[in-house]
Amino acid sequence: MKKSFYVFLLPLLLLSCSKEEDDSLEKITDTIVGRYVCRSATIQGRLLDINGDGTAGDDMVAEFEGFELAYQRITEEPVRIFPVKEYETDESFHIEIPKQRVDYDKRSGKYIIKDMYIGDSMFIGFKYSVDRSGKINTAAYNEGNGDDLGGEYDDMIYLIDYQGNSARSLTFDQEGGFEAVIDCTCYDFATDEVVTVPVLFVYERVSYSLD
């Protein structure tokens, strides 16, 4: 009888532990799940004139305000953060960052800016997971649409501002926001050069719903 009791009790104990683990993981991921929008994008370490208005600044959102497509992507397109289904299993998402369209003419030694009004965008990827201690771990990766767009030929380098863009770091505050640092390549009208600078993107959760 005693043996039968332990055989009956063991599955209940395992089920209880599993339920506690599930509840714990769900509580952690509830702090980050939802739809987020970009509230600011601040260029770090220097000022750039991205829009050619003669004034350099560190507010990337303001610099792209006249670029219809790029500005819409950074201010309106939500980022969706999905639940982590299992411990130590990666989930991923992409941030769509605004881009100029810049070519370099090797023959003249000049940069050529195309589609100044419309602008463009590309995707930068991040991963996140939860370890068994309850810590949210993050990692950067760069799968997106930027890798195949640029190209170098005998006379021209096309879409040079798509080169050098990469994810650097991601931090969740678990209170309705996250910050992402991305190395962004831009043409600077003030210095007539293409530079790669870190940009701090700050996102705020606007809904717990993923729809």
Side-chain angles (χ1 to χ4, degrees):
M1 180 69 180
K2 190 174 183 179
K3 182 178 179 181
S4 299
F5 174 75
Y6 284 121
V7 170
F8 174 75
L9 183 61
L10 182 58
L12 293 179
L13 290 173
L14 292 175
L15 182 62
S16 176
C17 290
S18 175
K19 177 63 175 171
E20 287 179 6
E21 282 197 354
D22 290 346
D23 288 346
S24 177
L25 181 59
E26 184 176 352
K27 288 177 181 177
I28 294 167
T29 56
D30 278 349
T31 66
I32 63 173
V33 169
R35 294 203 316 274
Y36 293 73
V37 295
C38 182
R39 293 308 188 200
S40 65
T42 307
I43 301 164
Q44 308 291 291
R46 66 180 293 171
L47 305 178
L48 299 178
D49 181 7
I50 293 174
N51 57 18
D53 66 354
T55 303
D58 65 356
D59 185 343
M60 179 172 275
V61 178
E63 288 292 316
F64 273 97
E65 188 169 358
F67 296 62
E68 182 180 5
L69 177 59
Y71 185 73
Q72 179 184 8
R73 290 288 186 263
I74 194 174
T75 58
E76 298 179 14
E77 291 298 316
V79 169
R80 289 172 171 80
I81 305 297
F82 288 85
V84 176
K85 299 179 180 64
E86 298 178 15
Y87 284 105
E88 300 173 358
T89 299
D90 288 330
E91 296 291 334
S92 63
F93 68 94
H94 290 89
I95 289 178
E96 196 168 1
I97 64 172
K99 299 299 300 171
Q100 300 155 302
R101 296 179 66 86
V102 182
D103 295 344
Y104 179 74
D105 189 334
K106 295 180 180 179
R107 298 161 296 186
S108 65
K110 294 182 179 180
Y111 294 107
I112 302 169
I113 312 297
K114 301 186 302 179
D115 297 331
M116 279 295 298
Y117 176 69
I118 297 175
D120 209 339
S121 63
M122 69 175 291
F123 293 96
I124 298 293
F126 291 92
K127 295 179 180 180
Y128 57 99
S129 63
V130 179
D131 66 24
R132 294 198 175 271
S133 73
K135 179 183 177 183
I136 298 176
N137 295 309
T138 61
Y141 77 108
N142 296 314
E143 293 180 8
N145 68 350
D147 295 337
D148 301 322
L149 292 180
E152 183 168 355
Y153 301 91
D154 291 340
D155 298 328
M156 297 283 291
I157 302 176
Y158 293 100
L159 296 183
I160 191 171
D161 62 321
Y162 282 82
Q163 301 173 17
N165 299 276
S166 61
R168 182 180 288 193
S169 66
L170 171 71
T171 306
F172 288 104
D173 63 20
Q174 294 183 254
E175 295 179 356
F178 71 81
E179 295 183 352
V181 178
I182 298 173
D183 286 331
C184 296
T185 302
C186 306
Y187 172 76
D188 181 20
F189 281 89
T191 60
D192 189 31
E193 62 178 341
V194 171
V195 296
T196 300
V197 295
V199 179
L200 174 63
F201 291 82
V202 177
Y203 278 76
E204 178 186 359
R205 180 165 49 199
V206 293
S207 174
Y208 286 92
S209 171
L210 294 169
D211 299 328

